[in-house]
Amino acid sequence: MSFQVNFVIFIYCSSLVFIECETQVQKVTIPHDTPAFLTEASTATGTSTEAPSTTSATTEKTAKEKEDELRFKSVTGKESAEYWINVAQANLRERQKIRPIERVAKNIIYFVGDGMSVPTVTGARIFKGQSEGLKFGEEAQLHMETFPFLGASKTFCSDAQVADSACTATALFTGSKTNIKTIGVTPNVEVGDCSQQMKPENQLSSILEWAQKAGKSTGIVTTTRITHATPAGTYSHIAHRDWENDAEIKKAGQNPENCDDIAEQLIFREPGKNINVILGGGRKHMLPSTVVDHENRQNGSRTDSKNLIEMWKLLHTNDSAEYVDRVEDLLQIDTNNVDYLMGLFAPDHIEYSDNITTNHDPTLLNMTTVAIRILSKNPNGFFLMVEGGRIDHALHENYGQRALLEAVEFDRAIKQADEMTDDEDTLITVTSDHSHVMSIAGYPIRGNPILGVAENSDIDGLPYTTISFANGPGFRNQTSNGLRPNVSEDDMKKVDYKYFAGLPSKYETHGGDDVFIFSKGCFAHFLTGTQLQNYIPHVMAYAACIGPAGMDQSPLCNEIRSTSASARLTNANFSLHLVLFVALCANRIICSFL
């Protein structure tokens, strides 16, 4: 059957030689009776056989000027009703053009905004718009919001109504929910149970491991410690998320000789030891207590005398590997000649984005760019997890401005990854592991600073901020006169200003509400509706034809990989690509002699 299909395709492509030479057209044109898989390919990539638009730049500019005039001609100074109707109609027309892409996903990029709740997304959008000088700010748009498909994720754990980043990382990467504070293990493992952690039947495989077994390159990028809960979910099997080094296991009364810590699992065990790109913070968990870190002049955390950084270098001596710990060195990496890269840029977490330059730390955009350049060299494709981890940390501290800054920086990395890849062979998913208890409340007017005062309370007459938290360190006791503090006297421009919290707590807690799933590319339309969080990696595996038995044998993958006459042209069907390439080359050669 494969020979028959290839022969048919060869005859078809060869016929293009005579069509082209007869008409003296210098590129292959697609006739009306072109097979469906070729017309789908041209449509999906934005290629059109219609004549280009004759609209001039002058006409387009005039249309834009008319739009702006229409926008603010209302007597209120706001947009007119006609403007909003036109915008909605334009959006409707654009929506009609969206078509699901049902092709094998060669690449998977998985963005996790740690703690990026729905109010955080909204706040980041307004903050971005106001920072960029838009008239109001609410009209801004994050890049993730341009993705054509949107869903919601239920974030509860096996044993918890409100989740932490450990159990959610397990759900996001292994496809199974588990207990709070545990990573990469089944719900049979109770928190802190070392013996159960080490049993193979209790260890869950992750989508990163599935990708490796399919011959893909893999990478993890984070602004947190590389051994922190979310990145650890891609490679670790641990009964307690705090066991990032052997000392923590001892502190818990367990024997690290019987129970591998997270850092050790990354360096010595599968799939961690096979990861091509590892970028983040957390050097202290890799260094022994006898080694002083060059940045903070503090000793490492390990008590077993193991220098895991040096051991990683030794293990990858013959693998075109590089280790870096400064942004300057990261940006000078020759990605064409590096197959394995470890970059640990801080003893602990990478600095907040407002302070990274003082410590030679890279941005999330920097790390994402380098990772994709290295991973994309693999003809089999890649899996990359990118975490914007410090959104969560800022929210825990009630740092409203920092949280929104981190979310905007996270969005910049998403935009970069989108521009570096093709929807036709890549699935990009953006989601969060859990929510937070930040809210946007009151009745502030349009364009009111998102980080400012909303209005005065109708009870005590005192002002309150638009952003506030249900709990956290921003709680304040009443003043001597029994009233709330007057927040209008505060300096809200400070990046570390703690916004008001209603309940005292050392750290603000997570929230239990659902979070968004933004997606685009191959089979992104499967990530719509309200879904269990552990559903997400199953869609990714389905789209990429990877994973445990049943995934790569699904009817979808069989259809796409099929060599029947109706098969689609995909990276999985190499033979069809080769035949088409040969025919087109012959086309050029013959025409050059005519």
Side-chain angles (χ1 to χ4, degrees):
M1 179 63 74
S2 177
F3 172 78
Q4 294 173 343
V5 172
N6 289 343
F7 180 75
V8 170
I9 298 300
F10 181 82
I11 293 299
Y12 160 72
C13 293
S14 298
S15 68
L16 295 178
V17 173
F18 303 103
I19 295 173
E20 179 171 1
C21 294
E22 181 178 354
T23 59
Q24 293 297 302
V25 177
Q26 295 303 306
K27 64 179 180 178
V28 176
T29 55
I30 302 178
H32 294 296
D33 58 349
T34 301
F37 65 81
L38 284 180
T39 56
E40 288 173 5
S42 64
T43 302
T45 56
T47 304
S48 174
T49 58
E50 297 178 0
S53 172
T54 57
T55 304
S56 66
T58 303
T59 304
E60 291 177 354
K61 183 178 180 180
T62 303
K64 179 65 169 59
E65 290 173 347
K66 288 181 178 179
E67 178 184 323
D68 289 341
E69 291 173 1
L70 175 64
R71 182 171 189 173
F72 299 114
K73 73 177 185 180
S74 169
V75 294
T76 64
K78 306 295 191 299
E79 297 89 341
S80 65
E82 187 179 1
Y83 168 80
W84 291 121
I85 291 170
N86 288 346
V87 167
Q89 287 291 322
N91 289 344
L92 179 60
R93 289 191 293 272
E94 288 301 311
R95 192 71 193 175
Q96 292 173 44
K97 299 176 184 178
I98 296 174
R99 295 292 182 269
I101 301 174
E102 296 195 347
R103 299 174 179 275
V104 171
K106 176 182 175 183
N107 311 311
I108 299 171
I109 306 180
Y110 204 160
F111 281 94
V112 180
D114 199 315
M116 191 177 69
S117 61
V118 173
T120 304
V121 173
T122 304
R125 177 201 311 141
I126 299 172
F127 176 74
K128 176 187 176 186
Q130 293 180 344
S131 299
E132 293 176 349
L134 297 185
K135 185 175 177 66
F136 300 107
E138 293 85 355
E139 67 272 32
Q141 188 176 44
L142 298 170
H143 188 76
M144 68 183 87
E145 294 177 313
T146 68
F147 286 16
F149 299 103
L150 179 68
S153 167
K154 305 175 188 177
T155 62
F156 64 90
C157 303
S158 291
D159 61 345
Q161 192 173 73
V162 178
D164 79 328
S165 294
C167 66
T168 51
T170 303
L172 286 170
F173 303 126
T174 72
S176 171
K177 286 185 178 288
T178 195
N179 298 323
I180 197 167
K181 295 185 179 181
T182 67
I183 303 173
V185 291
T186 69
N188 293 330
V189 179
E190 297 294 334
V191 177
D193 192 337
C194 176
S195 61
Q196 290 298 315
Q197 164 192 315
M198 299 305 293
K199 292 182 178 180
E201 63 269 25
N202 288 335
Q203 297 180 352
L204 296 165
S205 61
S206 73
I207 187 168
L208 180 140
E209 184 174 3
W210 307 340
Q212 287 182 357
K213 289 181 177 179
K216 297 180 184 296
S217 294
T218 54
I220 51 177
V221 170
T222 179
T223 51
T224 70
R225 297 187 297 268
I226 205 69
T227 51
H228 209 238
T230 301
T234 63
Y235 63 84
S236 177
H237 313 287
I238 204 81
H240 200 297
R241 58 177 293 173
D242 290 347
W243 293 355
E244 296 180 60
N245 60 60
D246 67 307
E248 293 297 327
I249 295 178
K250 289 179 181 177
K251 189 186 298 184
Q254 303 288 334
N255 184 356
E257 295 297 321
N258 302 327
C259 197
D260 292 343
D261 61 81
I262 296 174
E264 271 198 315
Q265 291 183 37
L266 174 61
I267 303 303
F268 300 121
R269 291 190 174 272
E270 293 186 350
K273 68 178 185 179
N274 300 321
I275 298 175
N276 298 84
V277 177
I278 301 168
L279 299 175
R283 282 195 306 264
K284 67 180 182 181
H285 295 310
M286 300 287 179
L287 298 175
S289 57
T290 55
V291 174
V292 176
D293 190 274
H294 66 83
E295 187 173 324
N296 64 359
R297 311 309 301 170
Q298 294 183 7
N299 295 77
S301 300
R302 305 195 65 83
T303 61
D304 57 8
S305 301
K306 294 178 182 178
N307 187 323
L308 297 185
I309 294 174
E310 294 303 320
M311 290 181 172
W312 181 88
K313 293 179 184 178
L314 186 62
L315 290 170
H316 293 284
T317 301
N318 301 319
D319 292 329
S320 300
E322 293 281 350
Y323 171 77
V324 294
D325 56 19
R326 292 162 56 95
V327 63
E328 295 88 349
D329 298 326
L330 175 70
L331 298 180
Q332 291 176 7
I333 288 289
D334 181 0
T335 55
N336 291 322
N337 294 306
V338 172
D339 296 323
Y340 288 86
L341 174 64
M342 176 183 279
L344 300 179
F345 303 99
D348 199 13
H349 304 302
I350 289 177
E351 281 287 339
Y352 286 113
S353 59
D354 62 272
N355 198 33
I356 58 172
T357 55
T358 60
N359 290 306
H360 302 279
D361 292 345
T363 65
L364 194 61
L365 185 149
N366 294 152
M367 295 189 288
T368 301
T369 302
V370 172
I372 293 176
R373 285 175 179 167
I374 292 174
L375 299 176
S376 60
K377 294 183 298 181
N378 188 337
N380 292 321
F382 65 85
F383 169 85
L384 174 63
M385 189 286 294
V386 181
E387 182 199 18
R390 306 230 62 189
I391 301 170
D392 175 79
H393 299 162
L395 291 168
H396 278 306
E397 296 285 353
N398 294 156
Y399 292 156
Q401 183 178 164
R402 265 196 172 136
L404 302 187
L405 274 168
E406 291 298 315
V408 171
E409 286 297 308
F410 179 61
D411 191 62
R412 290 179 65 226
I414 295 167
K415 184 175 187 293
Q416 178 74 354
D418 190 15
E419 292 175 348
M420 293 180 71
T421 54
D422 187 344
D423 291 354
E424 289 302 299
D425 64 4
T426 303
L427 170 60
I428 301 181
T429 301
V430 181
T431 190
S432 177
D433 48 355
H434 53 73
S435 183
H436 270 270
V437 295
M438 186 186 85
S439 65
I440 301 174
Y443 297 99
I445 62 171
R446 174 96 177 273
N448 191 67
I450 187 66
L451 297 173
V453 170
E455 58 180 1
N456 293 339
S457 166
D458 57 4
I459 298 296
D460 61 15
L462 291 171
Y464 62 90
T465 55
T466 303
I467 287 177
S468 62
F469 293 83
N471 55 49
F475 174 82
R476 305 187 204 179
N477 291 313
Q478 293 179 338
T479 60
S480 57
N481 58 9
L483 297 175
R484 292 184 298 113
N486 189 338
V487 296
S488 65
E489 300 172 357
D490 296 345
D491 183 4
M492 298 178 193
K493 294 181 180 179
K494 293 173 60 177
V495 71
D496 58 352
Y497 174 75
K498 293 182 184 292
Y499 280 79
F500 176 79
L503 179 72
S505 179
K506 185 177 181 180
Y507 297 108
E508 176 260 14
T509 69
H510 295 168
D513 37 317
D514 298 347
V515 295
F516 283 138
I517 310 170
F518 303 93
S519 56
K520 69 177 309 194
C522 304
F523 288 94
H525 57 294
F526 279 22
L527 290 167
T528 54
T530 302
Q531 306 291 348
L532 291 169
Q533 190 170 47
N534 58 292
Y535 166 77
I536 301 173
H538 289 275
V539 172
M540 293 178 172
Y542 186 81
C545 294
I546 61 175
M551 300 247 184
D552 53 351
Q553 284 83 31
S554 72
L556 169 68
C557 296
N558 290 338
E559 176 191 345
I560 293 179
R561 289 173 171 172
S562 171
T563 54
S564 67
S566 61
R568 293 176 175 84
L569 183 60
T570 69
N571 62 296
N573 197 332
F574 176 78
S575 61
L576 294 185
H577 275 293
L578 182 59
V579 171
L580 182 56
F581 176 78
V582 171
L584 295 178
C585 288
N587 182 8
R588 295 290 184 184
I589 294 171
I590 294 173
C591 285
S592 67
F593 288 100
L594 297 180

